[in-house]
Amino acid sequence: MSSGAVLTQSIETIAWTPEGVIMIDQTRLPRETVYVTCRNYREVAEAIRSMVIRGAPAIGVAAAMGVALGVLHSSDPESEMPVICEALAKTRPTAVNLFWAIDRMKRVYASARHLPLAEIRKRLVVEAQAVREEDIAINRAIGKHGAALVPDGKTVLTHCNAGALATAGFGTALGVIRAAVEMGKRVDVFADETRPFLQGARLTAWELQRDGIETTLITDNMAGHFLKSGRIGCVIVGADRIAANGDVANKIGTYGVAVLAKENGVPFYVAAPVSTLDLTLASGDAIPIEERAGREVTHVQGVHLAPEGIGVANPAFDVTPNRYVSAIITERGVARAPDEKSLREMADNKTR
Ligand code: MRU
């Protein structure tokens, strides 16, 4: 991975170029706005693993581009394609968009494998770029469906970063907020800081401040206090994987926010593309939860805060049971009180 490439657009999460896959380095925001170039599929895999790029839809786009890059540089894709896909699939276990994107690329490869190598490569590059372009359009559609749910003149609370940075652009949860603002609604945002990786403090706060959307940063343990105050009109978060019954895996801490929202009568909305639905899993109990390095908990920005040798747990996600989810907002519409029936209808593209 090499640093320093500059894109003309001020905030582009990820882009395909002939030199490789360019992505904004999210580990360095907001202190530095640096783009890195991944020149082979292994570098793309490492960027996903180390969270240079993160957020379920953005991970999916990166994986698709990683597959395309791998085949572009391979003289024997028939034997290398499984190796490339396996390396990318091993990076992070929870966000299903990663596996969805790899499967999509595998299908394109399977339909093109009899063709000349140049044509196979071309089709994979076109597909990876389509995954990116479609994601932006999907987020716009999620925003359109979700904006109607946002109360005018109230505060929206969000957790983690489900914004432009977590997607190819516009965002899911933050896309709904952006769309509500575009509609003329008066909206301000409370952003949970999101320990331990600080996606809220570093990324959501940065994105929304750039947009001129009034944003107040709070620590995670303040959410209950503000949900009780009557000030919060709704909670909107993204998702990493949604089981068939509507249980939602999202950033660690989301479950607590959802319970506190229900306790205080505040609607709890999940905004996610249909590609985040995993209808092969009956409930959230089967969703694999990534465990990350203890250092993310013991250290803050390189400073060691905890005693040497202390035991640490660091699950990156939790599962919110469907009974706490007021609605799931997708590009195809809104599933209120989501259950297996409504989510299967959503996946089958029935308009809601
Ligand atoms: O560990 P991360 O930063 O990849 O986790 C991101 C989240 O949990 C997001 O809320 C989720 O991926 C939805 S992003 C549109």
Side-chain angles (χ1 to χ4, degrees), residues 113-307:
R113 64 200 293 183
H114 60 284
L115 298 171
L117 184 51
E119 183 60 25
I120 298 174
R121 288 172 170 162
K122 191 173 129 206
R123 290 192 184 192
L124 289 172
V125 171
V126 166
E127 189 72 7
Q129 286 173 310
V131 172
R132 178 184 175 281
E133 299 310 314
E134 285 168 22
D135 187 58
I136 298 170
I138 284 167
N139 293 330
R140 284 269 169 196
I142 290 173
K144 196 164 135 256
H145 292 300
L149 300 174
V150 177
D152 193 15
K154 286 272 197 181
T155 301
V156 177
L157 187 140
T158 191
H159 188 76
C160 194
N161 172 266
L165 291 166
T167 62
F170 201 62
T172 56
L174 298 194
V176 171
I177 293 167
R178 290 188 164 108
V181 170
E182 281 175 5
M183 266 173 82
K185 288 190 174 175
R186 292 158 302 136
V187 181
D188 75 298
V189 177
F190 269 36
D192 287 351
E193 68 170 345
T194 320
R195 276 278 288 153
F197 211 72
L198 301 175
Q199 289 93 332
R202 296 188 302 106
L203 308 177
T204 296
W206 182 76
E207 265 196 62
L208 293 177
Q209 190 179 58
R210 285 167 61 102
D211 272 7
I213 296 176
E214 192 187 325
T215 302
T216 304
L217 178 63
I218 60 172
T219 62
D220 299 333
N221 52 1
M222 296 173 188
H225 171 76
F226 287 110
L227 284 161
K228 186 145 94 33
S229 72
R231 173 176 183 162
I232 310 292
C234 67
V235 176
I236 313 178
V237 297
D240 287 84
R241 196 184 291 228
I242 301 173
N245 69 344
D247 291 352
V248 174
N250 190 49
K251 180 52 54 195
I252 191 76
T254 303
Y255 173 37
V257 174
V259 174
L260 287 162
K262 184 157 184 150
E263 165 71 13
N264 291 286
V266 177
F268 178 87
Y269 299 125
V270 174
V274 166
S275 56
T276 303
L277 299 178
D278 184 353
L279 301 179
T280 67
L281 303 183
S283 82
D285 296 343
I287 297 176
I289 301 294
E290 176 181 10
E291 182 74 24
R292 292 190 63 85
R295 192 185 157 87
E296 289 179 359
V297 176
T298 53
H299 290 63
V300 173
Q301 304 283 288
V303 179
H304 198 163
L305 299 178

Side-chain angles (χ1 to χ4, degrees), residues 312-329:
V312 178
N314 188 14
F317 303 94
D318 59 26
V319 174
T320 299
N322 61 2
R323 64 182 176 280
Y324 295 106
V325 180
S326 310
I328 293 176
I329 307 158

Side-chain angles (χ1 to χ4, degrees), residues 56-89:
I59 290 171
V61 176
M65 291 186 176
V67 173
L69 200 53
V71 172
L72 197 63
H73 295 156
S74 170
S75 52
D76 179 16
E78 199 57 18
S79 67
E80 277 201 77
M81 180 73 181
V83 179
I84 295 164
C85 292
E86 173 67 13
L88 289 159

